[in-house]
Every structure is written in structure tokens, then in C-alpha cells.
Amino acid sequence: MSQPIPAGSLAGRTALVTGSSRGIGADTARYLAEGGANVVINFRNKAPRAEKLAAELRELGVEVLVVGADLTDAGSVAAMMEAVMETFGTLDLLVLNASGGMESGMGADYALVLNRDAQLGVLDAALPLLHDGSRVVFVTSHQAHFIRTTPTMPEYEPVALSKRAGEDALRERIPALAAQGIDFVVVSGDMIEGTITATLLERANPGAIADRRESAGKLYNVSEFAAEVALAAVEPVPADNTRLVGDVSSFGGE
């Protein structure tokens, strides 16, 4: 993995990345730690994997807190923020990476509960820790970001709609966040090779990933996209609060 953030540039800062025991979240946490940030690793049910990542990141000389929390449970989220408060006292960066909705055995409204309601819940719970100069990053996909104008695969549509609903709800908070000096940016990426979502989509619709790769010319892998998420934490926020990663030529406007 390359290092998108210069070593030491985030020294003394604290970042919470939701859903960071694996995949994009784990690599984002790693990039932020390489930049010198203390990191809060959040997981739902992958404790051993989260602890293994924490051990790796501590070798970089940063402080790491591992907190299990179900983001759809307000009490669980509150306990996580309390642990962050006790350990670090403040939060400079909140990366809303965790998402889902294609899992089996969940309720019909699970995608909306996780991708909209829980995102707002985590932000609200984090507000007492955020401050002037903090930043909130919401991670989404082009298939969700452009869902109003560009249809996606039927298998992914419920998730795409729920993630767009989450993005819209979070965007409504921009004026209030800005009034407190808190930045907000959306990072939207194309299908990411190697993610659980891509695997599930491929299983439901064989050939989908190859088709999208051919159409786009290139698909980012997990570490490449995570680097863009990490950069969104430090680079200037675009005027429209949106960082688009990868080809968007086949998507209509929002």
C-alpha cells in the first residue's frame, strides 16, 4: 500500500472510522494511522480482526482504541462515544464508512435503518466530541449517489436508495455543522473490487463486476479507494461537498 498522507501530518489528531475491522474501513484507518492519527476502530462482530489491526497500527506509534458497537443500537453507539471521550476527550475526524443492506436474515427495512438512521445517530452521538476544525466524511457509491438519475442493478437498488437517503439526511446537517466549524464531505466511488458488496452482487448477478469494469475502464480496489477516503480527511473540501472517485461518465447528474 502506498501512503497518501505524509507521516506525522495528523499527529495528535483522533479519527473514528466506523466498520473498520476489515475492507475499506480497515485500510482507511491504516492510512490515517500512517499519517500519525490516533484511531478508533469500530466493529460489529469481527473482534479478533479488529484487535489484529489495532496491534499493527500501534506499531506505528499511535494510540488505538477498539470498540465494538452495533450502529443501529443507540445505546451501543452512546457507549462507544463515551469510550472515545474517556480515552481521547475529543474527535477530529469521523469517517462514516459502515454500511450494508444485502445481508440475509435482516428485516425488510434494515438497509434504511443502517444506511440512513444509524448514520444520523452516529453523527448526533459524536457531536459533543467534534469541534471547530473537525471533519465528517460519508462514504458511498456512485450507484447510490446517482440513483435518482441512473438505474442500478435490481439486487442493489434497495441499498442504493437507502444510502442516498442517508446522504441526503446528512447533507441537511451541513449548515448546522458549518456553523460549528465542522467540515462535511461525501466520498463516492464506483464498484470496488474485493468488497463484500461486490462479491454479493456478483453472486446475485454473475458477470456484473466484469461488465462494470469494461464500461468504466478501471475499477478501484479496496486499498486504492481507501486512500481516497483518507485523503478526503485532509484535502480541501470541494465546493459541492462531494469527492467523486473513478469514472462517472455513464452516470447522469444528481
Side-chain angles (χ1 to χ4, degrees):
M1 287 170 48
S2 60
Q3 187 170 325
I5 300 176
S9 61
L10 293 175
R13 298 172 71 80
T14 298
L16 165 57
V17 184
T18 63
S20 50
S21 66
R22 62 183 176 184
I24 293 166
D27 278 1
T28 298
R30 185 175 286 107
Y31 285 131
L32 295 173
E34 288 175 349
N38 298 318
V39 177
V40 183
I41 298 172
N42 158 251
F43 69 94
R44 187 181 64 167
N45 55 15
K46 300 289 183 185
R49 198 174 295 183
E51 293 290 356
K52 180 181 178 182
L53 174 62
E56 294 175 12
L57 301 190
R58 289 185 184 116
E59 292 181 1
L60 298 171
V62 301
E63 194 170 349
V64 183
L65 175 67
V66 178
V67 188
D70 178 352
L71 302 188
T72 65
D73 182 317
S76 183
V77 171
M80 174 171 67
M81 295 305 174
E82 185 175 338
V84 176
M85 174 73 83
E86 290 176 357
T87 304
F88 298 113
T90 187
L91 197 56
D92 302 286
L93 178 63
L94 173 63
V95 181
L96 298 171
N97 165 73
S99 66
M102 294 188 70
E103 300 87 344
S104 59
M106 296 297 189
D109 63 343
Y110 178 69
L112 199 59
V113 169
L114 176 59
N115 296 329
R116 183 192 64 188
D117 302 346
Q119 307 302 315
L120 289 173
V122 172
L123 175 58
D124 286 340
L127 278 176
L129 290 157
L130 299 172
H131 55 85
D132 189 349
S134 290
R135 183 173 297 191
V136 178
V137 178
F138 176 67
V139 182
T140 190
S141 65
H142 293 345
Q143 287 73 21
H145 181 69
F146 294 104
I147 188 61
R148 293 201 197 98
T149 58
T150 308
T152 188
M153 288 174 283
E155 298 85 357
Y156 189 65
E157 186 174 358
V159 175
L161 289 169
S162 68
K163 284 189 69 65
R164 182 67 222 204
E167 178 182 338
D168 290 342
L170 288 165
R171 284 182 182 275
E172 290 178 4
R173 302 290 183 88
I174 290 176
L177 292 172
Q180 299 179 58
I182 301 169
D183 290 335
F184 176 84
V185 60
V186 170
V187 182
S188 177
D190 208 330
M191 288 183 186
I192 309 299
E193 304 229 37
T195 61
I196 294 171
T197 297
T199 300
L200 292 173
L201 284 171
E202 185 68 22
R203 191 177 301 162
N205 190 349
I209 304 302
D211 289 345
R212 180 59 200 152
R213 187 188 307 114
E214 182 177 355
S215 173
K218 168 187 167 60
L219 293 180
Y220 281 64
N221 62 32
V222 169
S223 64
E224 289 171 334
F225 182 63
E228 295 291 333
V229 176
L231 284 170
V234 297
E235 293 189 343
V237 176
D240 61 354
N241 300 87
T242 309
R243 186 183 182 99
L244 298 174
V245 180
D247 178 69
V248 295
S249 61
S250 60
F251 295 92
E254 290 185 58

Short mmCIF file of all heavy atoms in Angstrom, two decimals, residues 193-226:
data_model
loop_
_atom_site.label_atom_id
_atom_site.label_comp_id
_atom_site.label_asym_id
_atom_site.label_seq_id
_atom_site.Cartn_x
_atom_site.Cartn_y
_atom_site.Cartn_z
N GLU A 193 -13.55 -3.37 -6.33
CA GLU A 193 -13.19 -4.79 -6.42
C GLU A 193 -12.74 -5.31 -5.06
O GLU A 193 -11.98 -4.66 -4.35
CB GLU A 193 -12.05 -4.97 -7.43
CG GLU A 193 -12.38 -4.40 -8.80
CD GLU A 193 -12.08 -5.38 -9.93
OE1 GLU A 193 -12.29 -6.58 -9.74
OE2 GLU A 193 -11.62 -4.91 -10.98
N GLY A 194 -13.24 -6.48 -4.69
CA GLY A 194 -12.80 -7.11 -3.47
C GLY A 194 -13.64 -6.81 -2.25
O GLY A 194 -13.35 -7.31 -1.16
N THR A 195 -14.69 -6.00 -2.40
CA THR A 195 -15.55 -5.72 -1.25
C THR A 195 -16.63 -6.78 -1.11
O THR A 195 -16.94 -7.51 -2.05
CB THR A 195 -16.24 -4.35 -1.38
OG1 THR A 195 -17.06 -4.36 -2.56
CG2 THR A 195 -15.22 -3.23 -1.48
N ILE A 196 -17.22 -6.84 0.08
CA ILE A 196 -18.31 -7.79 0.31
C ILE A 196 -19.48 -7.48 -0.61
O ILE A 196 -20.11 -8.39 -1.17
CB ILE A 196 -18.74 -7.74 1.78
CG1 ILE A 196 -17.61 -8.25 2.67
CG2 ILE A 196 -20.00 -8.57 2.01
CD1 ILE A 196 -17.86 -8.05 4.14
N THR A 197 -19.79 -6.20 -0.77
CA THR A 197 -20.91 -5.82 -1.63
C THR A 197 -20.68 -6.30 -3.06
O THR A 197 -21.58 -6.85 -3.70
CB THR A 197 -21.10 -4.29 -1.63
OG1 THR A 197 -21.43 -3.87 -0.30
CG2 THR A 197 -22.21 -3.87 -2.57
N ALA A 198 -19.47 -6.11 -3.58
CA ALA A 198 -19.16 -6.56 -4.94
C ALA A 198 -19.31 -8.07 -5.05
O ALA A 198 -19.83 -8.58 -6.04
CB ALA A 198 -17.75 -6.13 -5.33
N THR A 199 -18.87 -8.77 -4.02
CA THR A 199 -18.99 -10.23 -4.02
C THR A 199 -20.45 -10.67 -4.03
O THR A 199 -20.84 -11.57 -4.79
CB THR A 199 -18.29 -10.82 -2.78
OG1 THR A 199 -16.91 -10.46 -2.81
CG2 THR A 199 -18.41 -12.34 -2.75
N LEU A 200 -21.27 -10.02 -3.22
CA LEU A 200 -22.70 -10.36 -3.16
C LEU A 200 -23.39 -10.03 -4.47
O LEU A 200 -24.25 -10.79 -4.95
CB LEU A 200 -23.36 -9.63 -1.99
CG LEU A 200 -22.94 -10.08 -0.59
CD1 LEU A 200 -23.54 -9.16 0.46
CD2 LEU A 200 -23.36 -11.52 -0.33
N LEU A 201 -23.03 -8.89 -5.06
CA LEU A 201 -23.63 -8.52 -6.34
C LEU A 201 -23.24 -9.51 -7.44
O LEU A 201 -24.05 -9.88 -8.28
CB LEU A 201 -23.20 -7.11 -6.73
CG LEU A 201 -23.88 -5.96 -6.00
CD1 LEU A 201 -23.20 -4.64 -6.34
CD2 LEU A 201 -25.37 -5.91 -6.34
N GLU A 202 -21.98 -9.93 -7.42
CA GLU A 202 -21.50 -10.88 -8.42
C GLU A 202 -22.22 -12.22 -8.27
O GLU A 202 -22.55 -12.87 -9.26
CB GLU A 202 -19.99 -11.06 -8.29
CG GLU A 202 -19.37 -11.94 -9.35
CD GLU A 202 -19.39 -11.33 -10.73
OE1 GLU A 202 -19.51 -10.09 -10.85
OE2 GLU A 202 -19.29 -12.10 -11.71
N ARG A 203 -22.47 -12.59 -7.02
CA ARG A 203 -23.17 -13.84 -6.76
C ARG A 203 -24.61 -13.77 -7.26
O ARG A 203 -25.14 -14.73 -7.83
CB ARG A 203 -23.16 -14.11 -5.25
CG ARG A 203 -23.62 -15.52 -4.86
CD ARG A 203 -23.49 -15.70 -3.37
NE ARG A 203 -22.11 -15.53 -2.91
CZ ARG A 203 -21.77 -15.29 -1.65
NH1 ARG A 203 -22.70 -15.17 -0.72
NH2 ARG A 203 -20.49 -15.16 -1.33
N ALA A 204 -25.25 -12.61 -7.07
CA ALA A 204 -26.64 -12.45 -7.48
C ALA A 204 -26.76 -12.19 -8.98
O ALA A 204 -27.77 -12.52 -9.61
CB ALA A 204 -27.29 -11.29 -6.71
N ASN A 205 -25.71 -11.59 -9.55
CA ASN A 205 -25.75 -11.20 -10.95
C ASN A 205 -24.39 -11.49 -11.58
O ASN A 205 -23.58 -10.58 -11.79
CB ASN A 205 -26.09 -9.69 -11.03
CG ASN A 205 -26.40 -9.23 -12.44
OD1 ASN A 205 -26.19 -9.95 -13.40
ND2 ASN A 205 -26.89 -8.01 -12.55
N PRO A 206 -24.11 -12.75 -11.89
CA PRO A 206 -22.80 -13.13 -12.41
C PRO A 206 -22.38 -12.30 -13.62
O PRO A 206 -23.17 -12.10 -14.54
CB PRO A 206 -22.98 -14.61 -12.78
CG PRO A 206 -24.08 -15.09 -11.87
CD PRO A 206 -25.01 -13.92 -11.75
N GLY A 207 -21.16 -11.82 -13.58
CA GLY A 207 -20.64 -11.01 -14.68
C GLY A 207 -20.81 -9.52 -14.46
O GLY A 207 -20.29 -8.71 -15.24
N ALA A 208 -21.50 -9.13 -13.39
CA ALA A 208 -21.80 -7.72 -13.16
C ALA A 208 -20.53 -6.90 -12.98
O ALA A 208 -20.40 -5.79 -13.52
CB ALA A 208 -22.70 -7.56 -11.93
N ILE A 209 -19.57 -7.43 -12.22
CA ILE A 209 -18.35 -6.68 -11.95
C ILE A 209 -17.52 -6.52 -13.22
O ILE A 209 -17.01 -5.44 -13.52
CB ILE A 209 -17.52 -7.36 -10.84
CG1 ILE A 209 -18.38 -7.53 -9.57
CG2 ILE A 209 -16.27 -6.55 -10.54
CD1 ILE A 209 -18.93 -6.24 -9.03
N ALA A 210 -17.40 -7.60 -13.98
CA ALA A 210 -16.64 -7.53 -15.24
C ALA A 210 -17.28 -6.54 -16.21
O ALA A 210 -16.58 -5.78 -16.89
CB ALA A 210 -16.54 -8.91 -15.87
N ASP A 211 -18.62 -6.54 -16.26
CA ASP A 211 -19.32 -5.62 -17.15
C ASP A 211 -19.03 -4.17 -16.75
O ASP A 211 -18.79 -3.32 -17.60
CB ASP A 211 -20.83 -5.88 -17.11
CG ASP A 211 -21.21 -7.19 -17.80
OD1 ASP A 211 -20.36 -7.73 -18.53
OD2 ASP A 211 -22.34 -7.65 -17.59
N ARG A 212 -19.08 -3.92 -15.44
CA ARG A 212 -18.86 -2.55 -14.97
C ARG A 212 -17.40 -2.13 -15.20
O ARG A 212 -17.12 -0.99 -15.58
CB ARG A 212 -19.22 -2.42 -13.49
CG ARG A 212 -19.02 -1.03 -12.91
CD ARG A 212 -19.86 0.01 -13.66
NE ARG A 212 -19.34 1.37 -13.45
CZ ARG A 212 -19.47 2.37 -14.30
NH1 ARG A 212 -20.09 2.19 -15.44
NH2 ARG A 212 -18.97 3.56 -14.02
N ARG A 213 -16.48 -3.07 -15.00
CA ARG A 213 -15.07 -2.78 -15.23
C ARG A 213 -14.83 -2.41 -16.69
O ARG A 213 -14.10 -1.46 -17.00
CB ARG A 213 -14.21 -3.98 -14.85
CG ARG A 213 -12.70 -3.69 -14.89
CD ARG A 213 -11.88 -4.96 -14.70
NE ARG A 213 -12.25 -5.70 -13.52
CZ ARG A 213 -12.80 -6.91 -13.53
NH1 ARG A 213 -13.05 -7.52 -14.69
NH2 ARG A 213 -13.09 -7.52 -12.41
N GLU A 214 -15.46 -3.14 -17.60
CA GLU A 214 -15.30 -2.87 -19.02
C GLU A 214 -15.89 -1.51 -19.37
O GLU A 214 -15.30 -0.74 -20.14
CB GLU A 214 -15.98 -3.97 -19.84
CG GLU A 214 -15.82 -3.79 -21.34
CD GLU A 214 -16.44 -4.94 -22.14
OE1 GLU A 214 -16.90 -5.91 -21.52
OE2 GLU A 214 -16.46 -4.82 -23.37
N SER A 215 -17.03 -1.19 -18.78
CA SER A 215 -17.69 0.08 -19.06
C SER A 215 -16.88 1.26 -18.52
O SER A 215 -16.73 2.29 -19.20
CB SER A 215 -19.09 0.08 -18.44
OG SER A 215 -19.70 1.35 -18.54
N ALA A 216 -16.35 1.11 -17.31
CA ALA A 216 -15.64 2.22 -16.66
C ALA A 216 -14.19 2.32 -17.11
O ALA A 216 -13.57 3.37 -16.98
CB ALA A 216 -15.70 2.05 -15.15
N GLY A 217 -13.63 1.20 -17.59
CA GLY A 217 -12.23 1.19 -17.97
C GLY A 217 -11.32 0.75 -16.83
O GLY A 217 -10.27 0.17 -17.06
N LYS A 218 -11.74 1.04 -15.61
CA LYS A 218 -10.97 0.64 -14.42
C LYS A 218 -11.89 0.69 -13.21
O LYS A 218 -12.74 1.57 -13.10
CB LYS A 218 -9.79 1.61 -14.17
CG LYS A 218 -9.13 1.44 -12.79
CD LYS A 218 -8.10 2.53 -12.53
CE LYS A 218 -7.67 2.56 -11.06
NZ LYS A 218 -7.06 1.32 -10.57
N LEU A 219 -11.72 -0.27 -12.32
CA LEU A 219 -12.38 -0.23 -11.02
C LEU A 219 -11.30 -0.16 -9.95
O LEU A 219 -10.27 -0.83 -10.04
CB LEU A 219 -13.25 -1.47 -10.80
CG LEU A 219 -14.48 -1.61 -11.70
CD1 LEU A 219 -15.23 -2.89 -11.35
CD2 LEU A 219 -15.41 -0.40 -11.58
N TYR A 220 -11.51 0.66 -8.96
CA TYR A 220 -10.56 0.76 -7.85
C TYR A 220 -10.63 -0.50 -7.00
O TYR A 220 -11.70 -1.12 -6.87
CB TYR A 220 -10.89 1.97 -6.97
CG TYR A 220 -10.43 3.29 -7.53
CD1 TYR A 220 -10.96 3.79 -8.73
CD2 TYR A 220 -9.48 4.06 -6.86
CE1 TYR A 220 -10.54 5.00 -9.24
CE2 TYR A 220 -9.06 5.28 -7.36
CZ TYR A 220 -9.60 5.74 -8.55
OH TYR A 220 -9.19 6.96 -9.05
N ASN A 221 -9.50 -0.88 -6.41
CA ASN A 221 -9.54 -1.95 -5.42
C ASN A 221 -9.70 -1.32 -4.04
O ASN A 221 -9.77 -0.08 -3.89
CB ASN A 221 -8.31 -2.86 -5.52
CG ASN A 221 -7.01 -2.12 -5.23
OD1 ASN A 221 -6.96 -1.18 -4.45
ND2 ASN A 221 -5.93 -2.56 -5.88
N VAL A 222 -9.77 -2.15 -3.01
CA VAL A 222 -10.06 -1.67 -1.67
C VAL A 222 -9.04 -0.65 -1.19
O VAL A 222 -9.39 0.44 -0.70
CB VAL A 222 -10.14 -2.87 -0.69
CG1 VAL A 222 -10.16 -2.38 0.76
CG2 VAL A 222 -11.38 -3.70 -0.98
N SER A 223 -7.76 -0.97 -1.32
CA SER A 223 -6.73 -0.06 -0.80
C SER A 223 -6.67 1.25 -1.59
O SER A 223 -6.44 2.32 -1.01
CB SER A 223 -5.36 -0.74 -0.80
OG SER A 223 -4.92 -1.03 -2.10
N GLU A 224 -6.92 1.19 -2.88
CA GLU A 224 -6.91 2.41 -3.70
C GLU A 224 -8.04 3.34 -3.31
O GLU A 224 -7.87 4.57 -3.20
CB GLU A 224 -7.01 2.05 -5.19
CG GLU A 224 -5.76 1.40 -5.76
CD GLU A 224 -5.99 0.87 -7.16
OE1 GLU A 224 -7.14 0.53 -7.51
OE2 GLU A 224 -5.01 0.75 -7.90
N PHE A 225 -9.22 2.77 -3.09
CA PHE A 225 -10.36 3.62 -2.71
C PHE A 225 -10.20 4.14 -1.29
O PHE A 225 -10.51 5.30 -1.00
CB PHE A 225 -11.67 2.85 -2.85
CG PHE A 225 -12.89 3.68 -2.53
CD1 PHE A 225 -13.20 4.80 -3.30
CD2 PHE A 225 -13.71 3.37 -1.46
CE1 PHE A 225 -14.32 5.58 -3.01
CE2 PHE A 225 -14.82 4.14 -1.15
CZ PHE A 225 -15.13 5.25 -1.94
N ALA A 226 -9.67 3.29 -0.40
CA ALA A 226 -9.45 3.73 0.98
C ALA A 226 -8.48 4.91 1.02
O ALA A 226 -8.63 5.82 1.86
CB ALA A 226 -8.90 2.58 1.81
#
